[in-house]
Amino acid sequence: MSLAPWSSLSSQVRARLQRPVALGVAALLLTLSAGVQAADVPLKPVAEPADELSARYPLDTLNSVETSNRALTDVANAKAEVEARDLEQRRACYAKFFVNHCLDAAKEQRRLAMKTIRPVDITANAFLRKDRADERDKALEVHNAGQPAEAAQKAQDQKEKELSNADKVKQGAAKEKEVAANTRKHLGEADKRVADHNAKVKKAQQDEAAKASQRAANVAAFEKKAQDSAARQKEVAANKAAKAKDLANKKAAETGVPVVPAAPAAPAAKPSPPPASTAPASAP
């Protein structure tokens, strides 16, 4: 199969065929340019911040709070710088032919740098933890030293409080007993007043009944006396009338003049009964 000569192709077809070639050439040129630039710009060593930190802080110098805190600040800065340089190293690897080998080497450099930083980090943190523990122990010792006196004072206060409460309870019981006694006393006095009043009322009723009976007896006696008196007066009048008649008859016999019968004497007035007693009943 024969291919058509280049000159026989149309301009549009030739343009479409030339475009991928042009793009590939441009990409190759950019890659070569980046490789030349990466080769021209020197990269900072990844281990440098870690080595400087290790030299600045020998482990035996991390024996104060101030130094340990400053070392931890520099540890954080050194880790950040190592990460930044490792990133530049890995970026540069993509411009090299053996990319994976370059990335592995960069990864190993980062590991070694972090390994150099770790002793300073661990020692400073360990000293600060020990210092905080010592401070807590001292505070606990001071607290425990003051505990006996404080405990004795608390015990004394508790004892005084219990005595005060017991005294209050005792006073309350005495007060309640006194109130109960006063209540019983007042109740007894009230009962006595009621009993006295009832006794007075009963005696007054008995006296009134006795007086009523006496008055009835007096009235009956008076009426009987009045009847007896009326009977005697009637008898006396009858006797007088009989005597007067006998005398008149005797006189008429002597003189011969008939006797005119005398009018009967008027009965004596009935005496009024005695007044009833007006003495008031005894007040209760």
Side-chain angles (χ1 to χ4, degrees):
M1 179 178 181
S2 61
L3 296 175
W6 179 263
S7 58
S8 63
L9 297 175
S10 64
S11 59
Q12 294 180 353
V13 174
R14 287 199 302 270
R16 283 199 299 269
L17 293 175
Q18 290 174 352
R19 186 176 300 169
V21 177
L23 291 175
V25 172
L28 180 61
L29 292 175
L30 289 174
T31 301
L32 293 175
S33 175
V36 172
Q37 291 178 359
D40 292 342
V41 178
L43 296 176
K44 297 179 180 179
V46 175
E48 183 178 6
D51 294 337
E52 291 179 355
L53 178 71
S54 180
R56 190 182 310 121
Y57 296 103
L59 298 183
D60 56 354
T61 63
L62 299 174
N63 52 12
S64 68
V65 175
E66 181 180 1
T67 303
S68 297
N69 285 326
R70 188 170 62 250
L72 290 179
T73 302
D74 291 345
V75 164
N77 295 333
K79 287 182 178 180
E81 182 64 21
V82 167
E83 294 290 353
R85 295 189 180 189
D86 174 65
L87 181 60
E88 293 296 329
Q89 289 279 2
R90 287 187 285 111
R91 284 177 179 174
C93 288
Y94 290 103
K96 297 181 178 180
F97 184 76
F98 297 103
V99 176
N100 291 334
H101 177 74
C102 180
L103 291 175
D104 291 340
K107 183 178 180 180
E108 181 65 15
Q109 291 179 15
R110 178 187 177 281
R111 187 186 69 79
L112 294 175
M114 291 298 182
K115 184 178 179 181
T116 303
I117 294 173
R118 191 174 297 112
V120 179
D121 189 4
I122 293 173
T123 304
N125 276 305
F127 178 83
L128 292 178
R129 283 195 300 271
K130 183 178 181 302
D131 181 74
R132 287 192 293 269
D134 293 341
E135 290 295 329
R136 285 195 301 270
D137 292 342
K138 290 179 182 179
L140 185 60
E141 289 178 1
V142 173
H143 177 71
N144 292 336
Q147 280 289 59
E150 184 178 355
Q153 184 63 38
K154 286 184 178 180
Q156 181 65 25
D157 294 342
Q158 182 65 23
K159 184 177 180 181
E160 292 177 357
K161 185 177 180 180
E162 291 176 355
L163 291 175
S164 177
N165 291 337
D167 187 56
K168 289 180 180 178
V169 171
K170 186 177 180 181
Q171 292 178 359
K175 186 68 176 178
E176 291 179 358
K177 186 176 180 180
E178 181 181 358
V179 170
N182 292 334
T183 302
R184 288 193 299 271
K185 179 181 178 182
H186 293 324
L187 289 175
E189 292 177 353
D191 293 340
K192 186 176 182 302
R193 287 195 297 270
V194 172
D196 292 344
H197 174 73
N198 292 336
K200 288 181 180 180
V201 171
K202 185 176 182 180
K203 187 176 183 303
Q205 292 174 348
Q206 292 174 350
D207 292 343
E208 181 64 24
K211 290 179 180 179
S213 177
Q214 184 63 38
R215 284 196 298 270
N218 292 339
V219 169
F222 179 79
E223 289 180 350
K224 185 177 182 303
K225 184 177 180 181
Q227 291 175 358
D228 292 344
S229 177
R232 283 196 301 271
Q233 289 179 1
K234 185 176 181 181
E235 183 181 358
V236 170
N239 290 334
K240 286 182 178 181
K243 287 181 178 181
K245 184 177 180 180
D246 290 342
L247 182 61
N249 289 332
K250 185 178 180 182
K251 187 176 181 181
E254 291 178 353
T255 60
V257 179
V259 179
V260 179
K270 185 179 181 180
S272 59
S277 176
T278 58
S282 297

